[in-house]
Amino acid sequence: MATLQETLHPDSESATNIVNSVNQRYDNLVQFTPGESVLIHKLGELSKEEFAQRAIEYDREPRPQTENIAALRRDNLMALVIPKELGGHAADYKTFAFATAEVAQGDRSTALLLMMNWVTNYIFDKVGSPEQRKRFAQEVAESGYLTATATSEGQSLNAKKVTIDTKFVPNEDGSYQVTGTKRFLSGARIADRVSLIGEGIDGFMLAVIYPNNTDNTDINPGTIEIRKDEPWDPRGMRATMSETVDFKVTVPKENIIGRPGEVFQSGLFRLFALGQAAVALGSAMRTRELFAEHIQMQKEASKEELIRKHGQMNKRISEMIAVLAKAADAFTDSENPNNHAEINPNDVTKVVCEAKLLCALAAKEITETAIEAGGGYAYARREVFKEIDVIHRDVEGIRIMPPNIDRAREVIGLIKQGKTLVKPLGFARSQTRKQHH
């Protein structure tokens, strides 16, 4: 497989061919520049030639995706969204979304880990100090750091309010004592650093913590322990290795990102929803490809109905592409200084929730159509359906990630009614801290 540098070289493959190939893959509903196309093309190569080959193995065991992460580091693709002047590729939101979809076509768990890593890198660059922006970016561009995101604390994903109980308590020297338990911490065993959200006196806070498996343990003296009595063994997204982790660490002030409350104003959770929609799109596209392989195995007399169903998949995937592109463009427009006074943040939230809702439902519909059309024999015996089964279970995971589809519907409805949503995912302060005040 060509390296990213070779792909960029004019003698390896013409930029025009790459642009046409990528645009056609997305039904010419999205137009990519040569630079954007090369990044998406390269991730597509990795996804097809490496990630897809290991996806079933990762799901079966499950185990950390060390080989996939190593492949991404090889071409500096961990730094997809890092600014060019700091060593990255400076991908915009559109490229981020469709790059995530490319990875998801090979392996959904890898796509989820990578998407969360890219999102946190966006946020570090957006709200970090100049020194933090440079330092955190260099860790990615020079060493390929993978960032895990510690937010969930195990409440029902159907809850209207998700309470965060992790506490940030200030010390006299400006550092913070951070104590709490995080659940569903994807990539817990292989992350080089953790972006952790908790509650301070003046609002929610964001810290960067370096786990015990890095060379930076002296930065946060204390303990970070993965609970051995709660092994990760879910139905879908098994290879994310999303563990329960107890934190009791001291975080120096230079690793506290932004001001209290700024994390919720940064677009962090809307970007996660955009990334989830992209994972759903990649899941649907891979299912369509596998279903086409199944059609080719059939006798001519049996193909007509299957071809009709494949056509329905094409239509739904085009809808997914369009809504994902619209949501990514909404992010870009919202950060354009010339548009700032005209953009209502709730409008961005609405279009992102619409993308999450449509893509999650369509991906489920497409995987179920493939399984039902294949029938019992194909589902039990054919290799393509082993992978479709994994995809189907992974799609179920996307549907319940916050904002889950019920919450997405509710947010869309509230915004249509003119309601102002400061925290669209419904995060709430803990009862303990409320009583303290």
Side-chain angles (χ1 to χ4, degrees), residues 58-119:
Y58 281 143
D59 176 80
R60 184 184 299 119
E61 293 189 9
R63 63 182 178 83
Q65 304 164 56
T66 51
E67 297 95 337
N68 288 1
I69 299 302
L72 291 159
R73 285 174 172 147
R74 192 170 61 216
D75 282 317
N76 196 30
L77 289 166
M78 301 295 284
L80 183 81
V81 308
I82 299 293
K84 285 187 178 179
E85 66 271 19
L86 297 176
H89 299 290
D92 63 6
Y93 296 121
K94 177 183 68 177
T95 307
F96 153 75
F98 288 94
T100 299
E102 287 292 310
V103 178
Q105 290 178 56
D107 185 272
R108 278 62 53 199
S109 292
T110 299
L112 193 71
L113 289 183
L114 193 57
M115 178 272 287
M116 292 190 290
N117 171 75
W118 288 336
V119 168

Side-chain angles (χ1 to χ4, degrees), residues 162-166 168 197-206 257-264 269 423 426-430:
V162 179
T163 301
I164 291 181
D165 290 317
T166 295
F168 281 57
I197 294 172
E199 186 189 356
I201 293 173
D202 297 318
F204 292 109
M205 302 182 70
L206 177 64
I257 314 298
R259 301 182 302 276
E262 195 169 12
V263 61
F264 281 108
F269 297 104
K423 305 186 186 84
F427 281 81
R429 306 190 80 185
S430 72

Side-chain angles (χ1 to χ4, degrees), residues 81 91-93 96 118-127 271:
V81 308
D92 63 6
Y93 296 121
F96 153 75
W118 288 336
V119 168
T120 52
N121 288 333
Y122 270 132
I123 301 306
F124 293 165
D125 186 69
K126 188 174 182 179
V127 303
L271 279 172

Side-chain angles (χ1 to χ4, degrees), residues 124 132 135-136 166-180 193-198 205-211 216-224 247-258:
F124 293 165
Q132 288 173 331
R135 174 162 53 94
F136 295 143
T166 295
K167 300 297 186 293
F168 281 57
V169 178
N171 298 317
E172 291 183 0
D173 63 357
S175 65
Y176 283 80
Q177 187 70 26
V178 177
T179 306
R193 61 190 187 191
V194 175
S195 168
L196 185 144
I197 294 172
M205 302 182 70
L206 177 64
V208 175
I209 292 175
Y210 294 83
N216 296 295
T217 52
D218 58 313
I219 294 178
N220 44 264
T223 59
I224 301 173
F247 292 89
K248 187 176 182 181
V249 296
T250 301
V251 180
K253 59 183 178 181
E254 58 265 28
N255 286 349
I256 301 295
I257 314 298

Side-chain angles (χ1 to χ4, degrees), residues 99-355:
T100 299
E102 287 292 310
V103 178
Q105 290 178 56
D107 185 272
R108 278 62 53 199
S109 292
T110 299
L112 193 71
L113 289 183
L114 193 57
M115 178 272 287
M116 292 190 290
N117 171 75
W118 288 336
V119 168
T120 52
N121 288 333
Y122 270 132
I123 301 306
F124 293 165
D125 186 69
K126 188 174 182 179
V127 303
S129 67
E131 183 278 329
Q132 288 173 331
R133 290 181 65 244
K134 182 178 180 180
R135 174 162 53 94
F136 295 143
Q138 286 178 335
E139 289 175 347
V140 180
E142 296 175 7
S143 302
Y145 269 28
L146 172 67
T147 306
T149 302
T151 303
S152 300
E153 299 193 0
Q155 295 84 357
S156 168
L157 294 179
N158 289 315
K160 298 295 184 187
K161 297 290 185 181
V162 179
T163 301
I164 291 181
D165 290 317
T166 295
K167 300 297 186 293
F168 281 57
V169 178
N171 298 317
E172 291 183 0
D173 63 357
S175 65
Y176 283 80
Q177 187 70 26
V178 177
T179 306
T181 297
K182 295 293 185 180
R183 291 180 168 82
F184 312 120
L185 206 172
S186 299
R189 295 182 183 274
I190 58 174
D192 301 291
R193 61 190 187 191
V194 175
S195 168
L196 185 144
I197 294 172
E199 186 189 356
I201 293 173
D202 297 318
F204 292 109
M205 302 182 70
L206 177 64
V208 175
I209 292 175
Y210 294 83
N212 293 330
N213 63 345
T214 74
D215 297 328
N216 296 295
T217 52
D218 58 313
I219 294 178
N220 44 264
T223 59
I224 301 173
E225 184 176 353
I226 297 174
R227 289 193 182 179
K228 296 182 174 59
D229 60 337
E230 295 186 21
W232 179 244
D233 188 23
R235 183 171 180 269
M237 290 287 184
R238 290 170 55 79
T240 58
M241 298 297 291
S242 302
E243 310 277 6
T244 298
V245 183
D246 296 315
F247 292 89
K248 187 176 182 181
V249 296
T250 301
V251 180
K253 59 183 178 181
E254 58 265 28
N255 286 349
I256 301 295
I257 314 298
R259 301 182 302 276
E262 195 169 12
V263 61
F264 281 108
Q265 301 165 13
S266 66
L268 173 68
F269 297 104
R270 288 187 299 228
L271 279 172
F272 281 150
L274 179 69
Q276 293 163 19
V279 175
L281 171 60
S283 303
M285 292 178 72
R286 178 59 175 164
T287 301
R288 176 180 62 179
E289 181 181 350
L290 292 167
F291 191 62
E293 291 181 22
H294 171 67
I295 293 173
Q296 293 304 313
M297 299 175 192
Q298 306 307 302
K299 297 178 180 179
E300 287 300 322
S302 306
K303 285 185 178 181
E304 183 176 350
E305 177 62 15
L306 297 177
I307 291 172
R308 186 185 68 81
K309 290 182 180 296
H310 191 266
Q312 292 174 336
M313 292 180 184
N314 289 336
K315 181 180 178 181
R316 289 295 273 162
I317 287 171
S318 290
E319 293 171 354
M320 297 168 79
I321 293 167
V323 75
L324 186 66
K326 181 180 178 182
D329 287 344
F331 270 104
T332 301
D333 291 344
S334 71
E335 296 191 358
N336 183 337
N338 297 325
N339 297 336
H340 192 69
E342 305 172 14
I343 300 294
N344 183 336
N346 281 346
D347 293 338
V348 181
T349 300
K350 175 176 171 288
V351 74
V352 170
C353 284
E354 287 171 342

